[in-house]
Amino acid sequence: MKLVDILQRHAGQAVAATAIIGEAVMTQLRGPAAGIAVGVAVATGGLWAAQGRARQRSAIATGPTAQTLTWQVHAGRKPRQSDSDTYRHIAARMRQTTEHVRRTTAQRGLEKVTLAISSESGSWADARSTGHGRRGHVWLGLRWFHPRHTAHLPAVLEHELAHLQRRDTGKRIAVESAAVATVGLAAGLLPLFHFSLTAATVWMLTVLFFWWGELFSDLAAVRVCGRTPVADMWREDLERDRARPLLARIWTTARSLRTHPPMRLRLVVAEHAWIPHLPTVPPPHPLHVPATS
């Protein structure tokens, strides 16, 4: 991602953070001011919500174009003699995924879901989604279509579709905006210690909300795919993470904990969480393939 894109993407967050920090400093120097506190809370919370909604709408609006440019160029064309066996397999899995999503979209209460291959740096194992109303868009890294890893595609896909079905994108924007507004209000009314305690508490509650959304989507994947496929996916990710240098592991974990629970916790939940009416042996997922070494 280019520097300009990063600045544009996080401009609203930077402005909100600067306003709250500046307000907290002024409160410690001049004392609380209720009018200013309310104004900053409304402005920062509204700015956060507006930028989140803009990014949400942009992702959905550009979804069909992203699907055409990154997905259909592989899934939509006929195989050629020059194609390698690996490429043929990847393209076939993409076509199967397209058909499965098309066939089950209405069953999930959705109107349309577009698909795209992640093109950002380091997106080999990417899987993320954005929804707006009854429309959604899913980005998937090529890892999930490669013969060595595609056995995990059903669990990954069902997790992202569960986010869309639960309307998690809108919920996250609302919770984050409320959290920012609360911190902005506290910055203008409370002494430094109480403000810091409030900000930390709000941050922790927001993190727990994100974790719950991820774990709930994991459980939705377990309900469709069964415990073993989801647990095997997390075991493979843990093994892959252990193979990385220690500092890289610490940095990646610290960066992801704000929105995603630890993989070990997700593994325990997939294996042992109680799920009502979960069959002992769920029927095979339409995209199921045997795991390969």
Side-chain angles (χ1 to χ4, degrees):
M1 185 180 294
K2 296 180 180 180
L3 179 60
V4 175
D5 296 331
I6 295 175
L7 293 176
Q8 290 178 345
R9 184 173 184 177
H10 299 286
Q13 288 93 324
V15 170
T18 301
I20 291 173
I21 293 172
E23 180 190 23
V25 171
M26 294 303 297
T27 299
Q28 307 315 308
L29 295 176
R30 300 183 179 180
I36 295 177
V38 172
V40 171
V42 172
T44 55
L47 177 62
W48 201 281
Q51 178 160 306
R53 290 298 296 273
R55 290 167 56 184
Q56 179 188 25
R57 292 194 184 99
S58 175
I60 300 304
T62 59
T65 301
Q67 178 168 289
T68 299
L69 296 178
T70 69
W71 188 276
Q72 287 303 115
V73 292
H74 307 296
R77 73 171 179 82
K78 296 181 179 180
R80 301 170 183 169
Q81 290 184 348
S82 59
D83 293 340
S84 66
D85 292 340
T86 299
Y87 182 84
R88 288 173 181 268
H89 183 280
I90 290 174
R93 288 295 277 169
M94 292 173 68
R95 286 191 289 271
Q96 293 169 0
T97 303
T98 302
E99 177 58 25
H100 174 68
V101 171
R102 184 196 63 78
R103 189 173 58 250
T104 61
T105 294
Q107 299 173 11
R108 303 172 189 276
L110 300 171
E111 177 183 323
K112 184 178 181 180
V113 177
T114 52
L115 301 164
I117 292 294
S118 298
S119 57
E120 295 181 3
S121 176
S123 61
W124 163 252
D126 193 14
R128 52 195 171 92
S129 56
T130 298
H132 180 60
R134 298 181 61 217
R135 302 171 73 88
H137 182 71
V138 178
W139 292 267
L140 293 169
L142 283 175
R143 169 186 174 89
W144 309 117
F145 305 97
H146 192 278
R148 286 201 302 269
H149 308 287
T150 196
H152 303 311
L153 174 61
V156 171
L157 181 63
E158 293 299 336
H159 175 97
E160 297 305 329
L161 293 177
H163 278 310
L164 298 181
Q165 189 172 1
R166 284 167 36 86
R167 312 295 196 266
D168 276 346
T169 305
K171 293 177 183 177
R172 289 176 177 177
I173 293 172
V175 168
E176 282 189 328
S177 301
V180 170
T182 301
V183 173
L185 189 64
L189 298 177
L190 301 178
L192 181 60
F193 174 77
H194 293 94
F195 162 68
S196 301
L197 185 62
T198 300
T201 301
V202 169
W203 181 82
M204 290 179 62
L205 291 174
T206 304
V207 168
L208 290 176
F209 175 82
F210 286 162
W211 285 18
W212 167 245
E214 294 299 324
L215 293 174
F216 195 94
S217 293
D218 283 349
L219 293 179
V222 169
R223 190 175 292 110
V224 178
C225 304
R227 293 188 186 277
T228 300
V230 179
D232 287 347
M233 176 183 65
W234 292 124
R235 286 195 188 91
E236 182 177 298
D237 278 0
L238 281 169
E239 292 176 0
R240 184 163 56 98
D241 190 57
R242 280 194 288 265
R244 304 174 63 194
L246 179 60
L247 291 179
R249 288 161 53 190
I250 294 174
W251 167 248
T252 301
T253 301
R255 187 179 59 177
S256 65
L257 281 179
R258 189 184 73 84
T259 55
H260 291 76
M263 285 187 283
R264 292 185 185 278
L265 174 60
R266 303 181 81 165
L267 175 59
V268 171
V269 169
E271 290 184 316
H272 302 293
W274 178 75
I275 303 176
H277 311 300
L278 179 68
T280 305
V281 182
H285 190 275
L287 297 178
H288 170 76
V289 296
T292 59
S293 58

